[in-house]
Amino acid sequence: MGMRLRSGRAAWVWPACLIVLLPLAARPQTVDFESGRWNVTAGRVEEFLGRRAFLGTAFLPDVQFENGTIEVDIAVSADRLRSYPGILFRVVEGQNWERFYIRPHRHSLYADTLQYLPAFNGVDSWQLYSGPGYTALASIPINEWFRVRIEVWGRQARVFLGDAAEPALLIPRLEHVSSRGSLGVNGPLDGTAYFSNFSFRPAEGPLFESIPLPETTPGAFMDWQVSRPYRALDLDLEKTPEDQSLGDLGWTPLGARPDGLVDISRLHRRSGEPDLAYARTILRAEREESRKIDFGYSDI
């Protein structure tokens, strides 16, 4: 490239350059349990296995977590009593959340040593969430600290224990629609489980390859409608709603899980006394015939 300069004048030539600004990766945010940021529902900090550690239940109300990584050290006592310590994430209004926890007393023996479950309207329906994608067998260290890491992206998550390169639990389908919410820890007050070194790191891109989704159970009824809740003692369970002149039942659509299960707590919270809701679906057939239908329920 040629350039013509006029006599008596200086010319400065700057090489062309391209500046690319790359987004900085989010740094882990460590939140000490004595920092004052925790909203402690019930719990305390005390010494355990050489650390200042927290036992109980507490939340981070100033955090809105959607996607990213959550890490905490957990230690369970040698008593190996039932304690169910775990992590809550995407907590909304203290009634809806995703939860991962461990059962130290079932250590290396049962396929539900680890469990993921959602809470809807304050109901932890743990009996309804079992099997692949919800529970897994694991070896839990006793009387020593071990790391738990949860990677969350969209409606999927992976759980790692210790320094393992492979996840201990794959969660292909978080039951809540992707949301934002606070974080928390949940454990007993009896000294059987403690938390330490809590941190989280938001993510702006996928953390792992998509986990294959569960297949829909062949023949399952997927489209349901659920009524408003009623006080069970006010109704005759041997009669239909029409026979009791209940009027408008307030039917609300509610889809089933891929395995056909319908969790009514997605719509209604418990009243504190025996209550019930009616559910209905429509079956269509090309001709008049008899069909066998399997139906089960859990009254948790």
Side-chain angles (χ1 to χ4, degrees):
M1 178 178 68
M3 176 177 293
R4 181 177 298 174
L5 302 180
R6 292 187 180 180
S7 176
R9 293 188 179 181
W12 294 90
V13 181
W14 294 92
C17 62
L18 177 65
I19 300 176
V20 179
L21 299 179
L22 299 176
L24 295 176
R27 296 180 179 178
Q29 298 184 41
T30 300
V31 188
D32 190 275
F33 285 104
E34 294 181 287
S35 66
R37 290 181 60 183
W38 292 91
N39 180 3
V40 178
T41 302
R44 61 187 182 274
V45 174
E46 61 185 36
E47 293 289 330
F48 187 70
L49 296 179
R51 299 185 185 182
R52 296 286 289 171
F54 177 79
L55 71 164
T57 300
F59 298 89
L60 288 171
D62 63 342
V63 172
Q64 287 296 298
F65 178 89
E66 182 177 9
N67 296 310
T69 303
I70 309 161
E71 297 189 60
V72 69
D73 290 345
I74 297 179
V76 296
S77 71
D79 296 332
R80 201 179 290 175
L81 300 176
R82 300 188 179 196
S83 57
Y84 315 108
I87 300 169
L88 308 177
F89 56 99
R90 293 178 176 172
V91 181
V92 178
E93 297 179 350
Q95 294 288 311
N96 300 279
W97 58 73
E98 310 285 13
R99 179 185 176 194
F100 166 78
Y101 66 96
I102 63 175
R103 293 182 173 91
H105 62 285
R106 297 172 79 84
H107 157 83
S108 295
L109 296 174
Y110 299 93
D112 61 355
T113 311
L114 311 179
Q115 179 156 21
Y116 153 70
L117 62 85
F120 295 95
N121 291 305
V123 180
D124 262 350
S125 306
W126 63 269
Q127 297 100 320
L128 304 183
Y129 298 93
S130 183
Y134 300 106
T135 56
L137 176 71
S139 176
I140 304 298
I142 303 300
N143 228 34
E144 64 179 81
W145 290 104
F146 64 95
R147 196 72 168 160
V148 175
R149 184 174 88 252
I150 304 177
E151 297 176 347
V152 182
W153 181 253
R155 292 192 64 181
Q156 299 191 325
R158 306 193 305 178
V159 180
F160 296 81
L161 299 183
D163 298 325
E166 296 298 322
L169 176 63
L170 289 174
I171 306 171
R173 187 175 184 271
L174 293 170
E175 294 297 327
H176 287 276
V177 175
S178 183
S179 62
R180 296 169 60 88
S182 61
L183 298 172
V185 294
N186 174 248
L189 295 171
D190 58 6
T192 58
Y194 292 82
F195 302 97
S196 176
N197 290 338
F198 184 94
S199 68
F200 67 96
R201 178 170 56 190
E204 297 181 356
L207 296 171
F208 48 84
E209 294 184 0
S210 180
I211 304 169
L213 293 173
E215 296 182 359
T216 300
T217 300
F221 301 129
M222 305 304 294
D223 299 317
W224 290 82
Q225 292 180 328
V226 176
S227 76
R228 65 169 56 93
Y230 291 89
R231 186 171 179 267
L233 298 178
D234 294 338
L235 301 176
D236 186 341
L237 303 184
E238 300 301 321
K239 295 182 178 180
T240 66
E242 291 77 12
D243 291 339
Q244 301 182 76
S245 302
L246 296 181
D248 181 12
L249 274 69
W251 295 109
T252 302
L254 180 61
R257 281 186 352 203
D259 60 3
L261 187 144
V262 179
D263 186 350
I264 295 178
S265 71
R266 291 173 181 261
L267 296 180
H268 305 308
R269 67 184 70 246
R270 284 177 169 165
S271 66
E273 57 183 298
D275 49 17
L276 65 81
Y278 293 98
R280 71 181 183 183
T281 190
I282 298 174
L283 310 182
R284 293 183 172 87
E286 296 180 355
R287 62 184 183 277
E288 183 177 338
E289 60 182 319
S290 297
R291 291 284 187 94
K292 179 181 178 181
I293 298 175
D294 294 321
F295 179 81
Y297 74 96
S298 174
D299 59 346
I300 59 173

